[in-house]
């Protein structure tokens, strides 16, 4: 008799829950949960074993990680089979695994579908049905998304989903106001504004609900409270839409109305403000900020929107600088501040990645989903048309190719673009800002802000030594500050003692949110495999600087090919030119701390190779062993 199979249901909008039909699947351990969540997020696409290893272990996997992934998948398959789901929930497809689309459903996909349908119905003027769909979508939430997962990828996705949840909530409030539910909304909106005091669309809805309920004074007080908050915390006045609602209420003007079909977007939809929060410990960079001011000044005729490219080694704070400048200049961009972390689309082909970002930008700019084209060229053309004459800022973070960037650039007009990446990707029309370490004074200030000023002031000599060990690199200084902040009984000298051994320096800077090793690992994941392989192999060089012939020997390449490989790493700011020797030949070296990281990565390669040989021997024997995961035989060769 054929075994009965059931549909798997994955619920991630809250604590993770998995069921097959009426039966709950009891997941065992954090690795199983993280791996399964990563497959669910892929929505039927193949996730490579390398990506699973990277994300499940937060960029710092053990040498046995690939084997553990294989074992974990086998265990999950047994769990699903025992629950009645059959053997084909997790499918092996080189170079990794995927969830069979026909065999599972998730609340993530259901939330996305219902919100999309709700927005479309709203654009058609069907407020009642749109509100019903959005209420159904929001009812799927049982708490913060991925509430019981601590993996970095889950935290990033949880932030994105929280933003989508808030956008759906704001749209629902707009629709219910349109349906005349202002009296019943006052209490609900008051709570929402209290929890999200800087969301101007929610505040505008509350003001309208109060005003329409005969509470004009309370509506005006709500505006004053919001204005005081934005001025105190952000140093800016409220947005134009919120001020317009205030002015109408203040002058007791009648409500502007129009037939529902004439309102393709929500009437109070604010200009998008997508920049991540500014860093609370951002320090210095005055010269660089002035350079950006000049680079993004008014362009000459016909040159297109000004673009500033921030490039430099990983850990220098390129993203933090771009975001800080955007917040500092927020008033200059009433048309909105768009932001995309292109690292999140690194697994997609460049044009597909650009299309995904473009559609998100168009929705944020108020284009009804039904009017967004499917083709990338049509999307890009509509994007340029919507931005024409609109003074907006576009921040494109962690770019890796011009093909990925090109569709996201606006045409001529008052927009401004900031791009961050490891190398220069634009043509000569872009202004380039090459970022390095902080000045000594800036580095000490950043350390004091991260760790607390008292210990830094008490030991100026130890502080100078610590700053030197961190190479004045922002990511290292923040990691050191976080370590000290978490150890109030330590002095600066205690941490310095733990960092003087070069072999353990990265370990000392690898705790908490700001891990130097994890930062460098993330940068490598964006590179082509052969480039990261060259970087790792050069980690065996022990001299402070080396020439191309040494590089050729280590990389096992012809001299000309080795020179090309070294120059590629220079372009990516993973190597730098250390001058010329007496014969005029170029010499190369790793930027600060990257040499330690490359040596650390190189040390892992022999263990990985030995483990692969062990797996191959076991797999060739008898006894029903677990085979290595797909693609394992295509890994990097042993050094």
């Amino acid at each position: 008799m054929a075994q009965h199979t059931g549909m798997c249901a994955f619920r991630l909008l809250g604590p993770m829950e998995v069921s097959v039909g009426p039966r709950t699947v009891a997941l065992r351990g954090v690795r199983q949960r993280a791996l399964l969540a990563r497959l669910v997020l892929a929505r039927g696409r193949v996730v490579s074993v390398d990506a699973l290893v990277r994300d499940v272990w937060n960029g710092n996997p053990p040498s046995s990680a690939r084997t553990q992934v294989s074992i974990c998948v086998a265990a999950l398959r047994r769990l699903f089979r025992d629950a009645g789901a059959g053997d084909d929930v997790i499918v092996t497809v080189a170079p990794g695994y995927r969830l069979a689309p026909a065999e599972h459903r998730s609340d993530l996909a259901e939330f996305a579908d219902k919100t999309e349908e709700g927005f479309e119905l709203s654009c058609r003027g069907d407020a009642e049905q749109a509100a019903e769909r959005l209420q159904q979508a929001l009812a799927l939430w049982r708490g913060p998304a991925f509430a019981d997962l601590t993996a970095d990828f889950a935290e990033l996705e949880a932030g994105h989903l929280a933003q989508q949840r808030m956008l759906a909530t704001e749209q629902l409030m707009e629709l219910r106001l349109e349906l005349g539910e202002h009296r019943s909304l006052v209490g609900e909106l008051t709570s929402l504004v209290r929890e999200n005091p800087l969301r101007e669309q929610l505040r505008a809805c509350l003001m309208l609900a109060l005003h329409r309920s005969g509470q004009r004074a309370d509506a005006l007080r709500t505006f004053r409270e919001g204005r005081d908050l934005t001025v105190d915390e952000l140093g800016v006045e409220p947005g134009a839409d919120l001020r317009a609602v205030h002015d109408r209420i203040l002058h007791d003007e009648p409500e502007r109305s129009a037939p529902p079909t004439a309102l393709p977007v929500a009437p109070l939809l604010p200009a998008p403000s997508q920049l991540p929060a500014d860093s609370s410990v951002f320090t210095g960079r005055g010269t660089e900020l002035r350079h950006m001011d000049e680079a993004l000044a008014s362009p000459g005729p016909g040159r297109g929107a000004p673009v500033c490219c921030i490039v430099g080694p990983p850990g220098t704070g390129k993203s933090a600088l771009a975001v800080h400048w955007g917040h500092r200049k927020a008033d200059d961009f009433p048309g909105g501040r768009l932001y995309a972390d292109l690292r999140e689309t690194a697994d997609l082909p460049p044009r597909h990645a650009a299309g995904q970002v473009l559609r998100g930008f168009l929705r944020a700019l108020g284009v009804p989903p039904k009017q967004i084209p499917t083709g990338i060229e049509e999307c890009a053309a509509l994007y340029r048309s919507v931005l024409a004459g609109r003074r907006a800022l576009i921040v494109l973070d962690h770019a890796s190719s011009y093909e990925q960037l090109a569709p996201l650039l606006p045409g001529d007009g008052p927009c401004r673009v900031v791009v961050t990446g490891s190398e220069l990707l634009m043509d000569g029309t872009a202004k380039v800002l090459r970022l390095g370490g902080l000045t000594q004074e800036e580095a000490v200030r950043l350390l004091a802000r991260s760790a607390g000023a008292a210990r830094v002031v008490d030991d100026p000599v130890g502080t100078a030594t610590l700053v030197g060990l961190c190479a004045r690199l922002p990511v290292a200084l923040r990691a050191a500050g976080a370590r000290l902040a978490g150890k109030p009984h330590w002095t600066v000298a205690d941490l310095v003692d733990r960092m003087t051994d070069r072999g353990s320096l990265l370990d000392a800077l690898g705790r908490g949110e700001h891990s130097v090793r994890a930062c460098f690992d993330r940068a490598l994941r964006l590179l082509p495999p052969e480039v990261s392989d060259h970087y790792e192999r050069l980690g065996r060089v022990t001299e402070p600087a080396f020439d191309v012939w040494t590089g050729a020997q280590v990389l096992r390449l012809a001299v000309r090919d080795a020179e090309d490989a070294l120059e590629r790493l220079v372009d990516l700011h993973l190597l730098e030119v250390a001058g010329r020797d007496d014969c005029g030949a170029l010499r190369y070296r790793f930027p600060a701390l990257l040499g330690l990281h490359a040596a650390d990565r190189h040390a892992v390669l022999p263990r990985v190779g030995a483990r692969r040989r062990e797996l191959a021997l076991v797999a060739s024997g008898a006894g029903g062993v677990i085979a290595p995961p797909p693609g394992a035989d295509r890994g990097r060769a042993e050094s």
Side-chain angles (χ1 to χ4, degrees), residues 330-342:
D331 279 350
D332 293 348
F333 300 104
R337 279 82 59 198
L338 298 169
Y339 173 87
D341 185 348
L342 300 179

Side-chain angles (χ1 to χ4, degrees), residues 44-129:
R45 297 194 303 270
V46 176
V47 183
S48 70
V49 174
D50 286 339
L52 290 171
V53 165
R54 175 193 70 204
D55 291 338
V56 171
W57 279 273
N58 289 337
N60 190 25
S63 57
S64 62
R66 295 177 69 89
T67 304
Q68 290 189 46
V69 166
S70 180
I71 294 170
C72 190
V73 169
L76 285 169
R77 284 170 169 164
R78 283 196 300 272
L79 286 174
F80 291 134
R81 185 168 57 248
D82 293 345
D87 296 325
D88 51 357
V89 177
I90 302 178
V91 182
T92 301
V93 182
Y97 306 97
R98 68 178 177 89
L99 289 178
E103 300 298 327
H104 79 281
R105 58 185 176 84
S106 73
D107 56 359
L108 299 180
E110 189 175 354
F111 174 73
D113 292 343
K114 288 188 180 299
T115 52
E116 189 82 3
E117 188 178 354
F119 285 130
E120 287 187 12
L121 288 166
S122 175
C123 294
R124 294 185 210 146
D126 192 344
E128 189 170 350
Q129 288 295 317

